[in-house]
Structures are given as C-alpha cells and as structure tokens.
Amino acid sequence: MSFGQRKNFTVPVDAESPEARDDAKLLPLGPFDKIPPIIIDGQDAPKTPITPTTPIIYCPQSPSATSKRSRALRPGTTRKYRRRAILKNGDCNIVLSKVSRQRLRFLQDIFTTLVDAQWRWTLLVFAFSFIGSWLFFGAIWWLIAFTHGDLEEMHLPKNQEESGWKPCVFNIESYTSAFLFSIETQTTIGYGYRTTTEECPEAIFIMCFQSIYGVMMQAFMVGFVFAKMTRPKHRTQTLLFSKHAVVCQRDGELSLMFRVGDMRKSHIIGANIRAQLIRTKLSREGEVMAQYQHELEVGADHCGSDLFFIWPQIVTHRINAESPFYNMSASDLLQDRFEIVVILEGTVESTGQSTQARSSYVNTEILWGHRFEPIVFYNKENQVYEINYSKFNETHSVDTPLCSARELAEFYKYQDDYRNQAEDHHHLQTPA
C-alpha cells in the first residue's frame, strides 16, 4: 500500500521566524533511525512510498540559494517574529487608525478611558482634578469677596473691628486666602479660622455646592483608581500557557495539545477554554479572507471545554475529519501560515469578577512528535499533590507519524482491511 507521491518542496529559511525554523526540534528523527529516510532536495521525487512512520529529511536546493537568502538580511539586523494578532502575553497586537471623532468618543466614556489609561496619566488626572477644582472655587470665593467690597483697605480683616464691616467670609484678604478656604471647604477640614457668615446668600450657596461637588468627585476618582487596581486583567498574570504546542498521537489519533496552568491557590471558577484558528481562506466566489477565524474543538480529557482547574491541564484538539488540520502533514505545518489563539475564561474565586487570559501559537511554535512532561505528582510525605512548575514547558520526543491525519486514517483502514482479509482467508483454508 502506498499513498500518492508528494510534490517537490523545500523548506526555506524564513526571515520572520524567531529561530529560522528549528526543523530539527519540530521534526524529531531519533525514533526512526532504523527506517531508511526519504530525502527531498528539490529534485525529482523518490519512488519510495511514504508511510506514516517514514522520516523525511529536508535539504536546501543548493548552497547558492541558501546564501542568497542569508544575504537578504543586512548586517546588524535581527530576524523578525511572524506577524500575530495575539501576543504571547495575551495583549492584542492591534492599532487603531483613522477613527472618526475618536477623542470625542473616548471622552464620552471617560470612566473606561481613565481605567484603560496608563498609571502616569491616571495619577496626573487624579491630581489635576483636585488642584483644578480648588483653584476654580478659590477664584469664585475671591470674586464674592471682591464684589461685596471685602478686599477694600478699610474692610480688610485687620480693619474690620474698627470699621464694623461684616464680610461674606471671615479672614479673606487675597486670592491666596480664598484658595485656602476653598481647600478647607471641599475637603471638610474646617480649621475654624475662615468661616462663612450670613451676610452673603451667594456665599452660602457656593459653600453647599462645593461640598457636594467635592464628595462626588472624590467618590468618582477613588472609584476608577480602585477599578484600575482590581482589574481582572491583572489576574491573568498568574495564568500560564505553555510556550509551545505539540502534535502527537493519543488513542490512535493525531492530536494538537497545549498546557494551561494557574499559579494561585484561589482557583478560577467555571473555567472554560476555547481555541480559534486564524488563517487566510479563499471563498468559492474568489474572495480572499485574510483573517478568517475557525473555531477549534478543544477539551481536557473527556470533560469538554469546561475545566476543573485545580492543577495544570493539557488541552487537546483531536485532528479528525472535522479539523482544519486533517490534511496537514508535518512538512505542511512548517510551510503554512496560521495562528492558533487560545482563550481561557472564568470567574476569579477571591473577587467574583470575570477574567480572560489569552495566548497564541504560530506554526513555528508547534512541535511535531513531542509530548508534555508530567508535572503533577503525589507527595506521600506531605500527603498532597505537588506541582513542579519548573517542567511546565518541557517536552520529550515520541514516535509520531509525519503524514497527515487523513493519510494516517487511510493507512489504518487499509491495515484493518488487510488483516480482515487475511483472517477470512485463514478461516477458508482451515478444514472444519
């Protein structure tokens, strides 16, 4: 039995990959040393049939081609990572441009804008909101005193007892004293040196208005600072995703796997894991959809996408006929361009707030023929389960076919058919 001959191809040196495509790590050849490999070097394809356990060695077409690609990078430049929508730390690699009335829209939702702003801008707005209101109301108190005649020479505090003048506010003789009275009124300090009198109704109204305004503004500013400090995004810093995803066999099927973990003792309640494949797709009408999203069916063990998240879990995507990776072999994985975005959602046990952690994997971060090292062990001495996070990203190579899941399924089907035919033939040859 043999599958169709593969097309000639060469894995080029990609200037965007982080480590120039570490093929030796992505395609481990150690377990298949006893099987003669198929060498693809850009020439005519060999006549040797490709089976699921046939290793493939990738060679460049010629030294000149390799040197020509290496000269494309200027001295002193570094290789760039593949473009991705979600960075490894979960941030979205997205920049908005040419948004109409952007500033006005952000000002209309000032609370969210201040929460999302950087801390230096938040603290700057916090300080200027108080200082600005003190200066503003200080000017109003100065105007009240000026229009009432309290700032005239004979009506100043030192001459009021002699002239018998009753001011709107005691002990205001300049803008500085009016500014200090504004601070005392808004912060309800009340030193008792400057007080409002019954002489001016407008002064009584401004005192009530400034007191109410000060309480409202203080509640607003403290509210958004507290919201900024307790954002669920900070909880995601202790939710871990494995550095690489792996592809290996599990229960007879090729599976794409990655690991998630939580470093805190306060667990995520109702944890749910999702994964989406972002790649270019061509529709039947010829439309090129550059950021087409395809939902991947993922789950941990047989619990589906809902996780009992008390220890690190290995999330699995079975590469079956419903998977977009069904026709993709190890070599196809190296040449294709795609991004797998993984999303972990749940409720923080300690605060009751919803949180979402994100990460992503591009094709150069998927190790074909690897399996994660176990990290959860039972400590008999302490009688607890111990999690060794030092091995969270460690993997080891395992025997894994390099063909696609479709070819592997066909291979197993032909194997079963051959075995059944052999058994039937044996029964026919055996006398009753």
Side-chain angles (χ1 to χ4, degrees):
M1 189 279 299
S2 64
F3 301 112
Q5 299 295 334
R6 298 180 183 272
K7 296 181 179 180
N8 301 338
F9 61 91
T10 302
V11 179
V13 178
D14 192 349
E16 294 180 343
S17 61
E19 298 173 356
R21 292 194 173 196
D22 192 358
D23 297 344
K25 188 176 182 182
L26 293 175
L27 299 177
L29 300 177
F32 308 107
D33 290 339
K34 297 181 180 180
I35 305 175
I38 295 178
I39 301 178
I40 301 177
D41 57 355
Q43 306 299 326
D44 293 337
K47 302 302 181 182
T48 307
I50 298 177
T51 64
T53 57
T54 303
I56 302 177
I57 297 178
Y58 300 97
C59 301
Q61 290 183 349
S62 63
S64 60
T66 305
S67 61
K68 183 180 295 185
R69 292 190 184 94
S70 63
R71 286 196 299 268
L73 294 176
R74 297 188 302 273
T77 60
T78 57
R79 298 184 183 274
K80 297 181 180 179
Y81 288 85
R82 282 198 179 278
R83 57 186 181 186
R84 59 202 314 161
I86 303 297
L87 303 178
K88 296 297 287 185
N89 61 358
D91 293 338
C92 295
N93 189 24
I94 298 173
V95 177
L96 304 179
S97 63
K98 299 181 180 179
V99 180
S100 61
R101 303 172 62 188
Q102 181 178 6
R103 294 184 179 180
L104 178 61
R105 295 173 188 269
F106 276 74
L107 288 177
Q108 290 175 347
D109 187 14
I110 186 64
F111 185 85
T112 306
T113 301
L114 292 176
V115 171
D116 292 340
Q118 296 180 352
W119 269 108
R120 57 177 176 266
W121 298 112
T122 301
L123 296 177
L124 188 65
V125 171
F126 188 87
F128 273 92
S129 61
F130 283 98
I131 297 175
S133 62
W134 296 337
L135 293 172
F136 174 75
F137 281 103
I140 293 179
W141 287 114
W142 183 85
L143 287 175
I144 292 175
F146 178 79
T147 55
H148 189 255
D150 297 341
L151 301 181
E152 297 180 4
E153 182 65 26
M154 295 300 299
H155 298 161
L156 291 177
K158 60 183 179 180
N159 300 323
Q160 288 177 1
E161 184 176 357
E162 179 182 354
S163 61
W165 181 259
K166 189 175 183 179
C168 294
V169 181
F170 284 123
N171 297 308
I172 288 185
E173 54 186 15
S174 63
Y175 177 78
T176 303
S177 56
F179 174 74
L180 293 175
F181 180 70
S182 174
I183 297 176
E184 295 176 19
T185 303
Q186 186 165 324
T187 57
T188 65
I189 293 177
Y191 290 118
Y193 183 67
R194 298 180 180 87
T195 56
T196 309
T197 65
E198 301 176 357
E199 184 69 19
C200 304
E202 63 272 19
I204 300 175
F205 173 78
I206 292 298
M207 182 185 65
C208 297
F209 181 79
Q210 185 176 4
S211 299
I212 297 174
Y213 173 81
V215 172
M216 292 181 60
M217 189 189 67
Q218 186 172 1
F220 177 79
M221 299 301 295
V222 171
F224 87 76
V225 170
F226 178 78
K228 187 175 181 64
M229 295 178 63
T230 59
R231 280 188 302 176
K233 183 179 180 181
H234 296 162
R235 179 64 174 86
T236 62
Q237 303 301 319
T238 52
L239 296 175
L240 305 179
F241 293 90
S242 58
K243 183 179 179 181
H244 294 92
V246 299
V247 175
C248 64
Q249 280 186 290
R250 175 174 284 188
D251 295 331
E253 288 183 324
L254 286 177
S255 299
L256 172 70
M257 294 178 285
F258 58 92
R259 182 146 58 189
V260 294
D262 187 4
M263 297 177 60
R264 289 190 180 273
K265 291 185 178 180
S266 58
H267 304 297
I268 300 296
I269 303 174
N272 181 271
I273 191 71
R274 296 171 48 210
Q276 288 187 341
L277 174 67
I278 301 178
R279 66 187 303 182
T280 302
K281 180 183 177 182
L282 182 64
S283 66
R284 296 180 180 179
E285 295 78 16
E287 178 187 2
V288 179
M289 294 175 283
Q291 291 83 30
Y292 184 80
Q293 300 181 17
H294 184 99
E295 190 77 18
L296 299 179
E297 185 177 351
V298 295
D301 301 331
H302 288 282
C303 300
S305 59
D306 295 327
L307 306 180
F308 184 47
F309 206 23
I310 60 174
W311 47 47
Q313 298 274 3
I314 295 179
V315 182
T316 304
H317 166 67
R318 296 187 178 275
I319 306 179
N320 50 29
E322 303 297 328
S323 172
F325 301 109
Y326 189 59
N327 297 315
M328 188 175 295
S329 64
S331 58
D332 297 332
L333 183 73
L334 288 174
Q335 300 178 90
D336 205 346
R337 286 178 176 268
F338 61 86
E339 179 181 2
I340 300 175
V341 177
V342 293
I343 306 168
L344 177 63
E345 298 176 322
T347 303
V348 181
E349 184 181 32
S350 56
T351 63
Q353 293 179 312
S354 298
T355 186
Q356 183 184 90
R358 299 180 295 264
S359 187
S360 69
Y361 301 96
V362 294
N363 63 333
T364 55
E365 295 170 343
I366 299 178
L367 308 180
W368 191 288
H370 281 247
R371 184 176 294 159
F372 286 107
E373 294 281 359
I375 61 174
V376 181
F377 305 95
Y378 186 76
N379 191 325
K380 294 183 179 180
E381 182 179 352
N382 299 327
Q383 296 185 356
V384 294
Y385 283 95
E386 182 178 345
I387 303 172
N388 185 5
Y389 272 100
S390 64
K391 297 183 177 181
F392 185 80
N393 293 310
E394 290 188 8
T395 62
H396 62 275
S397 60
V398 293
D399 293 1
T400 304
L402 302 180
C403 63
S404 65
R406 178 184 61 79
E407 294 172 330
L408 183 62
E410 293 177 358
F411 176 77
Y412 287 148
K413 180 178 181 299
Y414 281 116
Q415 236 181 13
D416 293 339
D417 293 343
Y418 178 78
R419 187 180 297 109
N420 294 334
Q421 291 177 5
E423 291 178 357
D424 294 341
H425 180 72
H426 177 72
H427 291 316
L428 292 175
Q429 295 296 330
T430 306

